[in-house]
Amino acid sequence: MTKAHTTLDELKGGAFKRTASAFRNWIKKGSTEFPPVAGRYHLYASYTCPWACRCLAVRELMGLQDAISLSIVHPTWQRTRPDDAEDTHCGWVFHEEAKGPVTSSTGHGSIPSTDATVDHLFGKRTLREIYELSNDTLGKYSVPVLFDKERNTIVNNESSEIIEMFAKEFGEVAKDACPVDLFPADKEAEMREVDEKIYHGLNNGVYRVGFAQTQEAFDTAVDKVFGTLDWLEERLERSRYIMGDAMTQTDIRAYVTLVRFDPVYVVYFKCNKKMIREYPNLYGFLRDMYQNPRIRRSTNMRHIRDGYYSSHPKRSEFPIVPPCSTNLELPHDRATREYCEA
């Protein structure tokens, strides 16, 4: 069993190196092991975490709210073994609003519990306990988690695979699904290439900036982030969405990072060369995505800000949450404007 750890511990030579997800089973039509059955699976998620919010957005878009139940952790990490002085791990916990606010793991602050829930399956206090029920050996207790109630184990904790399963395998149990093809077959090859660039340059890129421990690692990472933003800004000059005229899962992958950029990453991760609101196409795209009611329901700005600014004792002892006005409700012309040809 690997020692309990978090993303903040994944460093090599002063640079951030993310560990791959450990649970990679696949829910598939016709499978005898993990079939896409309504009511069988439970999603553990955080509104703070961009990776988990990919899953929340696709769950909303595909109309899977009744088919896949949900528990939401509190945005503020807590000690997961508070009675063990030698185990200092901090991570996701369950804490519903009725229990009132929490303090950070350093003993400071008062962070609201609005929109957090109990563990609806087992009544556990921590997400760590859900991993331990599944005989985890990696020791990184991350969200999202897709849990199988029948087999009593984690099926998958890799967000890119969970959203693909939601979009491709659960259509027969969906209710009121949005008429959108998130994985269009004719664009899938190109989409995979674009996804890779967005992942390395933006989704994971902001973490490589924020968690860098040497100037060299920081400079390399920050240049890549803003190079990727420039590339996306140019691409969105040509079409409403990243892959063309219709929304795909690639847009959701980009959105979950972009919506956190100005409120969190500019300050907390020092990604401050430019703000998203300074990119006309990216800012319009961000408002367009946010104003989709289903995506908006998966976006909780309070949890986003509270989570980052209150959860990392190695980075900040005091959970001071700065204000940020993103003005995401401002009108945009993404649906009506004329786009430049490639």
Side-chain angles (χ1 to χ4, degrees):
M1 173 70 184
T2 304
K3 180 183 177 182
H5 64 283
T6 71
T7 303
L8 278 76
D9 301 310
E10 297 178 335
L11 294 157
K12 185 176 181 180
F16 173 63
K17 303 288 185 182
R18 186 179 296 276
T19 301
S21 301
F23 292 87
R24 308 296 284 271
N25 290 307
W26 202 268
I27 298 169
K28 196 170 184 64
K29 296 171 187 174
S31 169
T32 56
E33 188 174 14
F34 297 110
V37 176
R40 175 167 170 168
Y41 302 100
H42 189 81
L43 180 64
Y44 289 101
S46 163
Y47 286 125
T48 298
C49 173
W51 315 101
C53 284
R54 292 176 172 185
C55 303
L56 292 173
V58 175
R59 177 177 175 267
E60 288 279 348
L61 287 167
M62 300 309 298
L64 298 175
Q65 298 93 321
D66 292 338
I68 298 169
S69 52
L70 177 68
S71 295
I72 297 288
V73 294
H74 193 280
T76 304
W77 286 1
Q78 302 282 291
R79 288 278 300 275
T80 58
R81 292 276 177 82
D83 297 328
D84 185 345
E86 296 184 1
D87 190 329
T88 60
H89 176 264
C90 295
W92 303 113
V93 301
F94 304 98
H95 191 94
E96 63 181 333
E97 183 174 2
K99 295 181 180 179
V102 304
T103 60
S104 72
S105 61
T106 59
H108 300 290
S110 178
I111 301 92
S113 302
T114 309
D115 299 323
T117 73
V118 296
D119 167 21
H120 290 303
L121 290 189
F122 303 104
K124 299 295 187 184
R125 176 182 170 270
T126 71
L127 189 67
R128 179 176 182 169
E129 294 169 270
I130 304 303
Y131 274 82
E132 289 170 346
L133 280 174
S134 302
N135 300 315
D136 171 72
T137 58
L138 184 62
K140 181 184 177 183
Y141 312 117
S142 60
V143 286
V145 167
L146 189 59
F147 193 91
D148 183 351
K149 303 175 191 177
E150 184 173 303
R151 289 179 174 266
N152 218 37
T153 189
I154 295 172
V155 179
N156 197 297
N157 68 336
E158 169 50 52
S159 64
S160 64
E161 295 175 357
I162 294 173
I163 64 173
E164 188 165 352
M165 287 186 276
F166 283 1
K168 290 184 174 180
E169 307 297 337
F170 282 87
E172 294 178 4
V173 299
K175 293 182 180 179
D176 189 31
C178 192
V180 59
D181 184 0
L182 295 178
F183 288 85
D186 62 329
K187 294 186 177 181
E188 193 149 348
E190 181 190 4
M191 192 165 58
R192 300 292 186 189
E193 293 180 3
V194 172
D195 289 346
E196 278 293 298
K197 190 164 185 175
I198 291 172
Y199 170 79
H200 290 292
L202 185 62
N203 301 144
N204 194 53
V206 294
Y207 285 87
R208 292 180 64 241
V209 176
F211 294 161
Q213 292 188 341
T214 69
Q215 190 66 49
E216 181 182 6
F218 175 87
D219 290 343
T220 300
V222 82
D223 286 346
K224 189 163 188 174
V225 165
F226 285 94
T228 303
L229 289 175
D230 290 341
W231 167 72
L232 282 171
E233 174 70 9
E234 182 180 353
R235 191 175 180 106
L236 287 166
E237 179 71 23
R238 304 195 296 266
S239 58
R240 180 177 180 182
Y241 297 106
I242 296 171
M243 298 304 302
D245 297 332
M247 184 195 301
T248 67
Q249 58 90 37
T250 297
D251 300 295
I252 295 167
R253 286 169 176 255
Y255 167 79
V256 295
T257 299
L258 294 173
V259 78
R260 289 160 173 76
F261 203 91
D262 288 3
V264 175
Y265 302 146
V266 167
V267 177
Y268 194 61
F269 282 176
K270 303 177 184 176
C271 293
N272 58 0
K273 290 175 72 172
K274 287 177 73 173
M275 301 179 79
I276 297 304
R277 67 187 70 181
E278 296 177 71
Y279 294 91
N281 295 319
L282 279 169
Y283 190 35
F285 167 82
L286 177 58
R287 301 200 308 275
D288 189 9
M289 292 289 288
Y290 178 79
Q291 290 171 28
N292 180 306
R294 298 183 188 228
I295 292 177
R296 185 170 181 170
R297 286 198 294 268
S298 72
T299 307
N300 188 312
M301 299 305 295
R302 181 68 195 230
H303 274 231
I304 288 170
R305 292 187 295 116
D306 284 354
Y308 281 94
Y309 289 109
S310 70
S311 288
H312 306 146
K314 291 183 180 180
R315 294 179 60 88
S316 179
E317 180 179 359
F318 299 97
I320 307 300
V321 181
C324 180
S325 177
T326 53
N327 295 317
L328 296 180
E329 297 178 3
L330 290 175
H332 62 85
D333 63 354
R334 299 296 297 175
T336 58
R337 61 174 284 188
E338 293 184 8
Y339 291 92
C340 301
E341 296 294 329

